[in-house]
Amino acid sequence: MNRWLIVFIVGLLLPLQSLAKTVVVGSKAFNEGYLLGEIIAQKLTHDGFNVERKLGLGKTIITYEALKQGEIDVYVEYTGTLAQAILKLENTPSPSTLQQHAKQEGIKILPRLGFNNTYALVISEQMAKKNNISKISDLVNYPDLNLGISHEFLKRKDGWQPLAAAYGLPYQPVGIEHSLAYQAIANKQIAITDAYTTDGDIARYHLRILKDDKNFFPRYDAVPLVRTDADPALIKSLQGLANHIDEAKMQQLNSQVVNDDQSFAEVAEQFLTGEALIQKSNTQGLNSPWQSLPRYIIEHLQLTIVALICSCVVGIPLSIAVYRRPQASRMLVYCTGLLQTIPSIALLALMIPLLGIGWVPAVVALFLYSLLPIVRNTLTALLTLDPVMQQVAVGMGLTPREQLRHVYIPLAVPMIFSGIRTAAIINIGTATLAAFIGAGGLGEPIVMGLSLNDTTLVLFGAIPAALLAILTEWLFEGVERRFIPAHLRNTLG
Amino acid sequence: MNRWLIVFIVGLLLPLQSLAKTVVVGSKAFNEGYLLGEIIAQKLTHDGFNVERKLGLGKTIITYEALKQGEIDVYVEYTGTLAQAILKLENTPSPSTLQQHAKQEGIKILPRLGFNNTYALVISEQMAKKNNISKISDLVNYPDLNLGISHEFLKRKDGWQPLAAAYGLPYQPVGIEHSLAYQAIANKQIAITDAYTTDGDIARYHLRILKDDKNFFPRYDAVPLVRTDADPALIKSLQGLANHIDEAKMQQLNSQVVNDDQSFAEVAEQFLTGEALIQKSNTQGLNSPWQSLPRYIIEHLQLTIVALICSCVVGIPLSIAVYRRPQASRMLVYCTGLLQTIPSIALLALMIPLLGIGWVPAVVALFLYSLLPIVRNTLTALLTLDPVMQQVAVGMGLTPREQLRHVYIPLAVPMIFSGIRTAAIINIGTATLAAFIGAGGLGEPIVMGLSLNDTTLVLFGAIPAALLAILTEWLFEGVERRFIPAHLRNTLG
Amino acid sequence: MQVDSTLKAAVELRNISLSFDNQPLFKNLYFELPTEKITAIVGASGCGKSTLLKLINGLVLPDDGEIHICGQQVSHSDQADWRRHMGYAVQQIGLFPHLNAADNVILLAQLEQWSSLSIQERLDYLADKMGLDQAILSRFPHELSGGQAQRVGLCRAMMLKPPILLLDEAFSAVDPITRMDIYQYFLRLQETEPRTVLLITHDMREAVKLSDYIAVMQQGEIVQFAPVEQVVSQPATDYVARLVKEHI
Amino acid sequence: MQVDSTLKAAVELRNISLSFDNQPLFKNLYFELPTEKITAIVGASGCGKSTLLKLINGLVLPDDGEIHICGQQVSHSDQADWRRHMGYAVQQIGLFPHLNAADNVILLAQLEQWSSLSIQERLDYLADKMGLDQAILSRFPHELSGGQAQRVGLCRAMMLKPPILLLDEAFSAVDPITRMDIYQYFLRLQETEPRTVLLITHDMREAVKLSDYIAVMQQGEIVQFAPVEQVVSQPATDYVARLVKEHI
Ligand SMILES: Nc1ncnc2c1ncn2[C@@H]1O[C@H](COP(=O)(O)OP(=O)(O)OP(=O)(O)O)[C@@H](O)[C@H]1O
Ligand SMILES: Nc1ncnc2c1ncn2[C@@H]1O[C@H](COP(=O)(O)OP(=O)(O)OP(=O)(O)O)[C@@H](O)[C@H]1O
Ligand SMILES: [Mg+2]
Ligand SMILES: [Mg+2]
């Protein structure tokens, strides 16, 4: 029994070991970011990497910092953003200069994926043909065209004002909500508006991107970023994507997601197989929750087991160390109680600045939560021991260490186990919140399901969590049967 | 000690008693709704009611159902919405017919606050003066005016199409984002747009509302709704607000919130004192977290104490009932464990369809959470009793009841208390999540603070929660000192 | 309950068999407890004396056989009803640690809803007979000396004036002089309000002095069961003879 | 540790005072434990015998006074070092419930890292002397009879061959015949490897048979402390006389 248990636990933790060699793919939180992240993830998986996804991390700076600090290993950034928002350079320098600046930060820029996602002016294909307009400087000759420019572009320092100045454009544009602009062009209410070059709606509305013939707009080339110490195999694999996605392709992919309601994973897989970058998997869709279930469960178990072991390793000796000193015991109970009151979400939120996101802060939070039941039960068990047993242990000449080791702890064990079991179950429940900070586990389908209002998906997390709780009870019953003589065990076991 | 403790707990729960007689003011989740809710709340407070606010409950149906089911006692609805979206009437009937329909649902419509928040067409004051336009039918004579109509109004079945038909308006309007329309009028790009009659920007942009002289638009009179069984004093107090807010006033109040960045409470108080409906309070602003702190704490204590008492009352007897039957004990532990794994947020989310929002589901959730430590410690304590004590208790001729009452439970009490203390502390922590479902407590400032990124506000919840945890420990030490003889007590107490 | 004093045996064990861990302790044991007499069981350590008491009290169930109390065969559930009429002082003393000595003694009387006056009277009476003073009665069990605790346990067993008393080495930790006083009390009590008493002892002189009958047990069997004089004058086996010769 | 056999007293208590809850138990108590002799303490229940043993063992600290062991004054922390050389059988027996009988006995030897061979040898030797067989040794304490448990406790106290033995009513639950065997063992042992033994007993005959000296205690005072013959022939007080006259 004992041996099997150890094998089981080691087996569970083994993936953790290999997790260290996993490639973590990140992305910023918008559609194109998710999609590119998924493409990279599938390419790497195909190339034999053990891939973990942390897509949709948030704003630029968070994602970039996550890369720098090693929480993710790769994500796709735009050269313009890198130069201006991150590296705070005045202009967008040449690729080699940019590479040098990045290198000082420990970041390596990989070859561009092929498209430049920047601002552009778009015009309806029909109107463009009729008037033979193909580049922005052509517009100078058509001062009567109605321009509807998005509010944001009107406001930007590098937006409409300098653009008009650079090209000498004679228009007084109307501000328009970007989401309405294409419809307005279709209705012929306006002729020209601003757009991103990879917008999936450009093809749909039959629009033409006017060439930026004076190179006014800075380049926003999509490039995967890795750390300079990245695995060469990883770099090689990512280089395989170079120049495979041009603006039209990206538009099409974006459109598939937005207009055709396909999942990121499906679009990514279609693209990669279409480009013969990976073989089509003949398994089910990658997104089936059944397929992810083992991963969810293993992640969940890792989180809870590591946290539980930590709180046993810390909580029990700590309780033992202080239990003879009432003041210290009281302090210990108060402190663990304090930690318990910091509400789950606030705790996870507080962790982020300290420990970043992901596995480590989740384990730390769970660790802090499971301390209280363990510490309190250990203390109570030790403090309510039969005084005759204590007298005999002392009177026999056992040293304080031996008294604990051979008498007090064995007698306190049923109560201590009771605390550990409570902590384990609480952990299994609380670990579902870990998904909020990207630590995975069974919270992932729950959080997704709650936000998508998809009850089935919620149940994909909730039911295994519940079953895990029962399994845990069983396991502990087995452990107790192993370590506690029958007459001392609570007869449940 | 014992007596003081009871006095203390009863004192804490007393507000709960009076909570039953509290008026709960609700509102829908948009600015005007919040503001009207706050006005009502302050009026009722001034008139001597014990007011609880549940503002911003969400969409129409949720708020209406909350009223019907007694979770809130009053909120402000619009007659048009009531007739069409709620009561599913074809047209908006006369006030008395509407009152009759509402009565069948157990709802009473109180006198209108004085304004009609409906759609309208607005024109710049200057242009209106120049052309002498004051009502919609005047527009027929000015077919050259530019109309920019919001996307939503263009789409609505009772929107632009029938309006144009009803008045025979000759325009082909341009779709425009509502938020840009006033600016467009100011820039003279359009002359007329649609608006809500109480829009705070109408005065700011110097617009004139065109009279709906053919009564095309249904009336959206703002009226407080209560249940037909409402306290007459409540109705009387609310009637005092009748006809105090006309469209211009409402516009001004909305504008104060939106443009002048005043809090709802401030605007409401200014209005009510200005109208001499209440005396100006010479205390600090109503919104200071210091002022709300006692309420937060009392709510928090009520939540946790009621939940804790429930789980003691349920958990301890249940454990006692089953502890002699291993199968039943196992089932009990498994079930409480299962409940524990349902993660806090999912649990709260699952509760809403079953129990609605607010106090009851929060208490139920906390109750379910605190069961595990109590049940497991009670079971373990009973199952690991000294067998000699059991032999003596049985051999003496005590009935099973007496054995429990006079021997087993007194001996198990230190361990049971340890479970209750753990549960109490966990409850204090978890109760902070109750704010998500409007149950108040110290979670309120935490949730607000997290969403506003206001650390001070977060600490206004977190620090008292932590202090409460310590206070709870003290309290329990006192209780233990009272009920457990010194030599059996863990010497912490 | 009244034990019918015309009955020969207040308690009868018939054909009792019992094993622990597949090791038989009793095989077809037959035992009668004479009504309103004091019977002593003597025998080697581990021969099954305490287990016999537990059988009578219903704390241990026989694998086979019948138990009759006051002439009626009792099942396990009945036995529970008899227990309050059988004062039982266990060998391990087993005072409840959460009650002080006095509360340990009076617990049963409280549950029987005696008036507090009669409770106090009975407590004072018993404490006096057992040589326990007020200070001792107010102590918790862990503050008592071994002999004090044993006497508190004895008082607890006798509180309800039970017609049957089961005493498992109930005087072993009491000093000889106090013990003499207790003997005197028991013997006087037997004259005025006779009880059916079964006492286990290792002190042969105690058995002879106190009891009407002696049962000698050897490895789960009763090798002699007779009036005291007969055991002393005509020991049935060598073992009994040794006990009588060397230890009285 | 070797007790210097030329020393008159292996343990000396000087001027010991001790109160429980402000009630004085010992006032300026003086007591010497003769080296390599068996000394019996007799006295009424509650007179302070067990407490005296706890003072020697350091489980109870005196309010005042000095304790000398083997000629050296010991402080509380020193006392801990002596304990392994003082076998102590407590009155409540106090076997560890999580260890079976054998493990209870050998625990200290294991901690002293005896070879498993010598542990087994010593265990077998003691079990034989105390009449405990293999089946009993493998039981957990709650499965033992009172006398069996008491003998296991005695084995535990003697396991390390301690030069000083403190026995608190260590034979009270043992039947007279087994007890005789144990007496024989002790008396032979005293001839070959003499120990310093302090035993508390209520059995005057046991005291006379086993011990070299008898200390009679009354309410915290030692009223006579003399060789056995002298106590029997010249009792110092009425109380001692009563003990001697009526109970031997
Ligand atoms: N912790 C304590 N608190 C209060 N009184 C105590 C405590 N421990 C012992 N006593 C009292 O001290 C006295 C001496 O106790 P001790 O156990 O030494 O008696 P003893 O001579 O061993 O008696 P016995 O023969 O009954 O075992 C007793 O009256 C006892 O009630
Ligand atoms: N629960 C048990 N499991 C196994 N064996 C047991 C159990 N209870 C008692 N025994 C054994 O049964 C036998 C009889 O025990 P019992 O307590 O009746 O003896 P006893 O005659 O009272 O002895 P003593 O005089 O030592 O108290 C002993 O050998 C004991 O070890
Ligand atoms: Mg026995
Ligand atoms: Mg004693």
Side-chain angles (χ1 to χ4, degrees), chain C residues 20-21 25-26 43-52 54 91 168-169 200 202 217, chain D residues 136 139 142-149 151 173-175:
Chain C
F20 283 121
D21 302 332
L25 179 62
F26 298 131
S45 170
C47 70
K49 305 179 294 298
S50 299
T51 309
L52 186 75
K54 287 182 194 161
Q91 192 171 7
D168 197 345
E169 304 190 23
I200 297 177
H202 287 308
M217 205 181 217
Chain D
I136 293 173
R139 290 195 192 136
H142 73 287
E143 299 168 328
L144 297 175
S145 80
Q148 289 165 349
R151 284 173 285 154
V174 181
D175 64 280

Side-chain angles (χ1 to χ4, degrees), chain A residues 306-325:
Chain A
V306 171
L308 194 67
I309 290 177
C310 289
S311 46
C312 288
V313 165
V314 172
I316 297 177
L318 216 59
S319 311
I320 290 172
V322 302
Y323 88 100
R324 288 180 214 254
R325 272 160 294 170

Side-chain angles (χ1 to χ4, degrees), chain A residues 388-399 402-403 406-408 410-411 485-488, chain D residues 54 57 59 80 83-84 86 88 90 92-99 107-108 111 140 142 156:
Chain A
V388 172
M389 290 300 113
Q390 303 193 40
Q391 244 179 49
V392 173
V394 174
M396 257 168 91
L398 299 185
T399 65
E402 290 165 348
Q403 291 163 24
H406 295 282
V407 183
Y408 304 162
L411 291 177
H487 60 285
L488 295 181
Chain D
K54 288 182 194 160
N57 188 265
L59 278 176
R83 285 194 188 119
R84 287 215 184 170
M86 277 191 267
Y88 181 22
V90 300
Q92 304 96 326
I93 302 176
L95 298 180
F96 298 131
H98 61 291
L99 300 177
L107 176 61
L108 270 179
L111 294 178
F140 279 102
H142 73 287
R156 180 172 67 176

